Amino acid sequence: MKGKIVVVGEHQEGKIASITLECISAAKELKTEAETILLLMGEDMRTNASEWNETDVDQIIIVEHPLLARFSNESYIKALLSVWEQLEPSILLCGHNDIGRSIFPYLSEKWNLPLLSNIESFVLHDNKLSITRSAYSGKLTERTEVEGSSFLITIKPKKWKPLPKKEKTKPAVHSLKVNIDKPVATLIGLEQKREKAAGLVDAKIIVGAGRGIQNEEGFALVKKLADTLGGTVGVSRGAVELGVCDASIQLGQTGKTVAPDIYIACGISGAIQHLVGVTSAKTIIAINKDPNAPIFEVADYGIVGDIFEIIPSLLKEWE
């Protein structure tokens, strides 16, 4: 494939987000003669140039504008429309998250280009792109072959491993100017959720809480186990509906996708909507008092019992 593959980069507190590094790995799978470009948008971006320079891309394009200081659908769309006209890439690539889900459908309609969303793998051959992704909440696997040379693609998080950082050769860095009108709606501030979601996606150990935790006492017990193991807490929709935590740490189809070394599911039945977000874990341990719970079908290790008895017994092992 000739042309350019542009990765829409995300950055948090001056560092490249893990999903962007995964997108770069995905772009490398598509690359033959195409140039891989990392697109970074925001305000005062060059202050973190040393961080960007270690990414394994051919070129870095920086777009700076005051209206890009905080993420806004309207501002990002207008910036990407201008970037597309100036760079004329063959593929625009992003993670299947808030940015990919909210912006790429609009761009697909605007440019009349195919949108291939939530992709788990792909193969390019004979000017045809074969893609694989989950369908019907993970109940089926869809395989599709698309002809053409220009696409919009969003990839499922944790399906590609980030490439090692480059140390010797550094990509060329260029600035690109865009015109953005003042948006109708402007983000004026952010409020921190009760449960800190930062680091959940990249956590090595996650202890999951489901409807079986029953109440705040159960959630506190799960959190204590996570703290003892040096991990963090994730939840299913059932736990959110109990009112003991918020959706910022929800895992699954409508939450975050994770791939920890260890995932301990406490009181989680194992609905497919939850499992699609956690089955990339290297080891899954399930604790549930229902021996027929679907979670045991995907678990590497299972404990049948009440979490209010099992978790305290586990905690004693670390005392």
Side-chain angles (χ1 to χ4, degrees), residues 18 38 70-71 87 95 110 114 116 150 241 249 256 269 293:
S18 60
L38 173 60
R70 292 190 178 104
F71 172 69
L87 295 182
K110 183 72 174 179
L116 312 175
S150 295
E241 291 175 347
I249 55 173
K256 293 175 171 59
S269 63

Side-chain angles (χ1 to χ4, degrees), residues 44-305:
D44 298 327
M45 299 294 296
R46 288 188 176 272
T47 56
N48 298 299
S50 59
E51 172 74 18
W52 319 142
N53 286 340
E54 295 180 352
T55 54
D56 190 10
V57 295
D58 300 306
Q59 186 180 166
I60 297 175
I61 298 293
I62 294 178
V63 175
E64 293 179 301
H65 196 288
L67 292 175
L68 296 173
R70 292 190 178 104
F71 172 69
S72 159
N73 281 4
E74 191 176 351
S75 296
Y76 263 58
I77 284 173
K78 289 179 178 178
L80 286 173
L81 289 173
S82 180
V83 168
W84 183 275
E85 291 177 358
Q86 296 181 62
L87 295 182
E88 297 183 342
S90 50
I91 290 179
L92 196 65
L93 183 63
C94 182
H96 192 70
N97 48 17
D98 292 341
I99 294 179
R101 285 194 291 256
S102 60
I103 289 179
F104 273 45
Y106 177 90
L107 297 177
S108 174
E109 174 66 21
K110 183 72 174 179
W111 294 325
N112 193 28
L113 290 175
L115 169 58
L116 312 175
S117 61
N118 207 23
I119 303 305
E120 297 182 7
S121 65
F122 42 51
V123 177
L124 181 66
H125 59 91
D126 298 330
N127 203 36
K128 294 180 181 179
L129 186 63
S130 299
I131 65 168
T132 301
R133 60 185 173 187
S134 297
Y136 297 100
S137 302
K139 295 182 178 69
L140 298 175
T141 296
E142 174 189 342
R143 293 182 176 88
T144 306
E145 192 171 75
V146 186
E147 292 188 14
S149 57
S150 295
F151 309 98
L152 302 178
I153 298 175
T154 65
I155 66 167
K156 185 175 182 178
K158 301 303 177 183
K159 288 298 179 180
W160 277 268
K161 292 183 178 180
L163 294 173
K165 293 183 178 180
K166 294 177 68 175
E167 297 181 357
K168 296 181 179 180
T169 59
K170 296 182 179 180
V173 180
H174 303 286
S175 294
L176 201 64
K177 292 184 178 181
V178 296
N179 294 319
I180 306 176
D181 298 328
K182 187 176 180 179
V184 175
T186 304
L187 178 64
I188 59 175
L190 296 171
E191 181 179 345
Q192 180 67 50
K193 291 284 190 178
R194 284 181 297 159
E195 302 300 333
K196 189 176 180 181
L200 177 60
V201 172
D202 299 318
K204 298 297 183 183
I205 299 175
I206 297 177
V207 181
R211 195 181 297 276
I213 64 172
Q214 300 180 19
N215 48 41
E216 292 186 356
E217 180 185 352
F219 184 75
L221 200 58
V222 169
K223 191 175 187 306
K224 185 176 181 180
L225 178 59
D227 292 340
T228 301
L229 297 175
T232 189
V233 177
V235 299
S236 70
R237 178 177 288 277
V240 175
E241 291 175 347
L242 287 175
V244 298
C245 57
D246 57 68
S248 65
I249 55 173
Q250 183 175 323
L251 307 174
Q253 183 181 10
T254 55
K256 293 175 171 59
T257 299
V258 296
D261 291 338
I262 299 174
Y263 178 62
I264 306 175
C266 303
I268 295 175
S269 63
I272 189 65
Q273 290 84 356
H274 178 73
L275 294 180
V276 295
V278 302
T279 48
S280 292
K282 293 181 180 178
T283 302
I284 297 178
I285 303 171
I287 305 173
N288 200 298
K289 62 182 180 181
D290 179 6
N292 297 315
I295 189 69
F296 289 121
E297 296 179 9
V298 299
D300 299 287
Y301 303 96
I303 304 174
V304 178

